[in-house]
Amino acid sequence: MSIPPDVQQQILSDPRMKAKIQEVGEAALNDPAVQELVIKIAKEKGPEVAKAAAGKVREWAKDPVVQAQACAYAGVAAQYAGRAGLAAAAYIEQGPTSARVLAFAGGVASIVCAGAHLISFADILLAPANYVLALYQTLFSLTTLLFELNPTVVAKVPAFSSYQDVLIEKAKFLSEARGRGLFYFFQGTVWLCFSSVWSLLSLQLFPALTFVCGVFMCLVGLIHVLIHYGKLQTVIEKGRDGYAKISDTP
């Protein structure tokens, strides 16, 4: 069992964790006493969470992003996260790698769709609204890529890091999986507005790709909302159970 991001956040932001990390300083999750406290707090969340935490605590200690998050909650992020270039990462709730890959792929697909519209210069005169929307979607897509990249990579490019810092401060919803999920869903609905039933039936290439991209981004958005509330695994398990019942039906 993996620990949902919201439960991980609750553990790391627990007042007892804050006090202990302030006591041990930059050692943070590498300190045995802190690791014991993580497991103790996890036990209060239930036996399954406690079991998962026992296996995860050492992974967290080796993960600079989780370390930065723990330090940030404890108020010592300036020393640890600042030196590691991960100050912003401490405030970004990222989902499992698979979800990040899906979102990143959606961002790339969105850039391709936007580029296809932007190179059609005739749209500047014939469909100026669509052209402007494509410009917006390009910016939104780049933002998607930025927030789904490994924070250590973003920190190495000052321009990207500065832009991300501004967004975290001015658009805090992007730092949560739920907020980004709604943002991705919005992007998807915008792409769906570019397509029509007629264009799909006539098998026009770009409208069809735009439609697929829109549906994909909407699904990615829903996945991120489920991740925020820790419901993704529940949905997957129910889907598997339903499939198993159908398969067992003679």
Side-chain angles (χ1 to χ4, degrees), residues 31-56:
D31 189 278
V34 174
Q35 294 181 6
E36 289 179 9
L37 182 58
V38 168
I39 296 174
K40 179 181 178 181
I41 296 173
K43 287 180 179 178
E44 298 172 2
K45 308 293 182 183
E48 291 186 354
V49 176
K51 183 178 179 181
K56 284 286 185 181

Side-chain angles (χ1 to χ4, degrees), residues 13 25 27 40 52 56 69 110 143 156 178:
S13 61
K40 179 181 178 181
K56 284 286 185 181
Q69 288 176 333
S110 288
T143 301
K156 293 178 181 178
R178 174 183 56 185

Side-chain angles (χ1 to χ4, degrees), residues 113 194-196 199-200 203-214:
C113 289
F194 275 79
S195 58
S196 65
S199 63
L200 293 175
L203 299 179
Q204 297 178 26
L205 180 60
F206 285 127
L209 290 176
T210 301
F211 176 81
V212 171
C213 182

Side-chain angles (χ1 to χ4, degrees), residues 2-244:
S2 60
I3 298 179
D6 60 326
V7 176
Q8 176 181 315
Q9 183 177 357
Q10 291 172 17
I11 293 173
L12 296 178
S13 61
D14 188 282
R16 290 167 291 177
M17 280 289 293
K18 292 181 180 180
K20 180 59 71 174
I21 291 176
Q22 287 173 353
E23 178 184 331
V24 302
E26 294 183 20
L29 295 174
N30 285 307
D31 189 278
V34 174
Q35 294 181 6
E36 289 179 9
L37 182 58
V38 168
I39 296 174
K40 179 181 178 181
I41 296 173
K43 287 180 179 178
E44 298 172 2
K45 308 293 182 183
E48 291 186 354
V49 176
K51 183 178 179 181
K56 284 286 185 181
V57 66
R58 292 186 178 179
E59 291 183 23
W60 291 356
K62 297 177 182 178
D63 189 332
V65 175
V66 180
Q67 283 273 34
Q69 288 176 333
C71 288
Y73 290 133
V76 294
Q79 296 95 326
Y80 181 88
R83 188 180 67 243
L86 295 171
Y91 300 97
I92 300 175
E93 177 190 3
Q94 290 190 316
T97 301
S98 56
R100 289 165 57 189
V101 169
L102 287 175
F104 192 87
V108 172
S110 288
I111 289 178
V112 172
C113 289
H117 286 281
L118 293 177
I119 62 176
S120 179
F121 297 110
D123 283 353
I124 297 177
L125 297 176
L126 300 177
N130 285 355
Y131 200 85
V132 171
L133 283 175
L135 286 172
Y136 288 154
Q137 286 289 74
T138 301
L139 179 60
F140 295 159
S141 301
L142 291 173
T143 301
T144 297
L145 300 182
L146 188 63
F147 274 85
E148 298 304 337
L149 275 173
N150 189 313
T152 57
V153 175
V154 177
K156 293 178 181 178
V157 184
F160 290 171
S161 183
S162 298
Y163 176 58
Q164 189 179 66
D165 289 344
V166 170
L167 290 176
I168 290 174
E169 180 182 354
K170 303 298 183 181
K172 289 184 173 62
F173 67 92
L174 290 175
S175 63
E176 294 184 349
R178 174 183 56 185
R180 289 201 310 283
L182 295 175
F183 177 60
Y184 299 159
F185 191 88
F186 167 73
Q187 288 183 59
T189 58
V190 172
W191 282 131
L192 291 176
C193 292
F194 275 79
S195 58
S196 65
V197 175
W198 171 250
S199 63
L200 293 175
L201 292 176
S202 59
L203 299 179
Q204 297 178 26
L205 180 60
F206 285 127
L209 290 176
T210 301
F211 176 81
V212 171
C213 182
V215 172
F216 183 78
M217 287 302 293
C218 286
L219 290 175
V220 170
L222 291 175
I223 288 173
H224 276 71
V225 172
L226 290 173
I227 288 172
H228 177 81
Y229 290 106
K231 300 296 183 182
L232 181 60
Q233 189 62 34
T234 302
V235 172
I236 293 174
E237 290 174 356
K238 286 184 177 180
R240 287 174 179 171
D241 292 342
Y243 178 78

